[in-house]
Amino acid sequence: MYFLLILTVFMFSLNVSGQQDYKLWLRYDKIENKELLSGYSSKIKGIAALGNSKTIQLATEELQQGLSGLLGMKIEIQQNQNAQSILVFGSKSSLDEATQQKLKKEFEQINNEGYIIKTIGSKENEQIVITAKTDVGVLYGVFYFLRLIQTNKSITNINIVDSPKINIRMLNHWDNLNGTVERGYAGSSLWNWQKLPDFIDQRYIDYARANASIGINGTVLNNVNANAIILTPQYLEKVEALANTFRPYGIKVYLTARFSAPIEIGKLKTADPYDADVINWWKEKVKEIYKRIPDFGGFLVKANSEGQPGPQNYGRNHVDGANMLADALAPFGGIVMWRAFVYSEHDVDDRAKQAYSEFVPYEGKFRDNVIVQVKNGAIDFQPREPFHPMFGAMPKTPLMMEFQITQEYLGFSSHLVFLPKLFQEVLESDTYCKGKGSTVAKIIDGSLENHKISGIAGVANIGSDLNWTGHPFAQANWYGYGRLAWNPYLDSGLIAEDWLRSTFSNDKNFVEPIKQMMLNSREAVVNYMTPLGLHHIMDTGHHYGPGPWVSNLSRPEWNPVYYHKADKNGIGFDRSKSGSNATGQYASEVGKMFDDVTTCPEKELLWFHHLPWDYKLSNGQTLWNGMALKYQEGVDEVKTMASTWDKMGKYVDEQRFNEVKMLLGIQYKEARWWRDACLLYFQQFSGKELPQGVEKPTQTLEYFQSLKFPFAPGNN
Ligand code: BDP
């Protein structure tokens, strides 16, 4: 009996502890503020659910579960639209004529995924209607409505008309068929290929629901370094099962296509995109996929990049490859997302210039259903990169942004870094391609050139960890990415606040300091890893920790020394006119600004310029002193983050409080590691003492250089 009791208590606590993180931002805890609570309750006496599709059923369950939790009372569902003080929801065609008429103007303003949330009726007979042109639009509206209550916003005389600004809002999973995740730091892949198609893990449903709640509508299931086996019938059956699971949540499935698949699984001798058998093989393959998955999204392709096969193996080019696949997909409405992440060890030109040099000449040559996927940054997802020069350089070609949500270069899942701040900086960058105001956001949402398709991709940070993302705060990066994919003009502060209120607490004394902590976290990581425009100085292979000294890799542009170019005379990569002239790839207003050392923003200084150690920064410090102080500033910020968090115990459950506390401890340790290792290494060239205010390194350079991490995660 005694044993049983202990066991039950233990199991309960295990269960609860697992759930704290697992629920993400969809917690629906009861509203604490009594006044607010009674206000909400008086407006929602019941729910009328109109329609009976699977999606409407899900929306109904979500509303019932959400409101029951938030309001602490059971909410009845009815099918009748005409009762009093109820929340009515359903798509346009399910509403009565009169309501449809009342919302005519609003319906004209939304697209197929948009929604309307509006208070209608007289004071005595008030109703809130959540509606849309499609059932998925209704589901998005339901999540939005729940968020309003979760974050304690008013629902009085509500009038919201909202549509996503980007069509394709996508997660890219770099998941391998063996269950590992390339650059994944949250456990293994969510997809259990072994048990699919017969076993549908609850995790898949929870994943789809979480994505729908932030408007994500596409998922690429497998790694860009693709395995052709995913395209065999054996695996397509499993993909189909996932597609069926995700469909009611408005999520389409996409796959990466290995260019050499016709050889590897098709038994052809070639994968030449001009070969008739190859063309036919892809046509048949696509037909086979659509037979199983009628709403299949299309292919994502990494070709002739980092050793992946591609059209160039046959003397063809990216357009040839992309268009061949596009032609196979076009009859079914599928698209090709062709990645522009290319650089070659045989090209002696600056790596930062290579994607532009290779792709811009293809302007206007891709089929209508091809979208070119451009990484954030011409190098590779660094803590800070200037916006990619391809944005603004190919007006006729829809370009898709690829952000990295998984923290390959930002401390894996042990560092708290709020990425929407980084994303916002990039989205707001002005390319000047059509004069002032031609921001990256306007290019990727298609508004600048009126493109028919527009897209955004985020390399997922999700895995099998109980908390999904490894770090409780990394959930905010998944969440924030989704919110920005829906509306790339959102402010990251607002996103942080919504996330905190939904995930932790609405208490101002918690929200304000922790929001600030999140917003500062991006600059902190830049400072303790790569201040003043430094980049790509992490250790190689696994990318864990600092490695500015690495110089022995076969490809020059894989070595950190290629990027910082530190020597006795100074540090930085000269990409100005006198150097690689990467600045020449930007519109002249932008190029000129970067080119001139006096107008180049200091945060990008060493990205574009090689400068002497005693170069004077705007604050009067020498470059060496200023750089060292920036490293220290980064470390200090992490210390501040940790002490801010330490005061939050009363607002957060013990489990999550302790997790974040321990992780901030790791981050502080690793921030010091970065500072010490980089400064000791660069000091060999500067020959100067560390300035006052910078802590003495805890170890020698030799010690840092001797560290090895053979089992660092994500490097399979
Ligand atoms: C680099 C990653 C590598 C990816 C590659 C890509 O280190 O694992 O395969 O990008 O995006 O950042 O293709």
Side-chain angles (χ1 to χ4, degrees), residues 174 182-183 224-225 302 306 339 341 375 380 408-409 543:
W174 286 359
E182 182 151 335
R183 312 307 178 186
V224 285
N225 297 318
K302 173 178 179 178
E306 298 187 329
R339 290 176 97 223
F341 178 61
K375 266 195 186 182
D380 197 0
E408 176 180 1
Y409 301 105
H543 298 168

Side-chain angles (χ1 to χ4, degrees), residues 288-303:
E288 180 190 340
I289 297 175
Y290 277 92
K291 210 161 160 205
R292 292 181 176 280
I293 310 167
D295 57 352
F296 178 66
F299 293 135
L300 170 66
V301 188
K302 173 178 179 178

Side-chain angles (χ1 to χ4, degrees), residues 678-696:
C678 293
L679 288 178
L680 284 172
Y681 171 74
F682 292 133
Q683 194 173 34
Q684 302 178 104
F685 304 103
S686 79
K688 295 178 194 300
E689 291 298 313
L690 289 175
Q692 235 189 5
V694 178
E695 284 160 359
K696 255 180 77 163

Side-chain angles (χ1 to χ4, degrees), residues 565-572 610-615 623 684-688:
K565 302 209 187 301
D567 57 22
K568 294 259 178 282
N569 300 324
I571 183 169
H610 186 84
L611 296 168
W613 292 108
D614 55 7
Y615 172 82
L623 176 57
Q684 302 178 104
F685 304 103
S686 79
K688 295 178 194 300

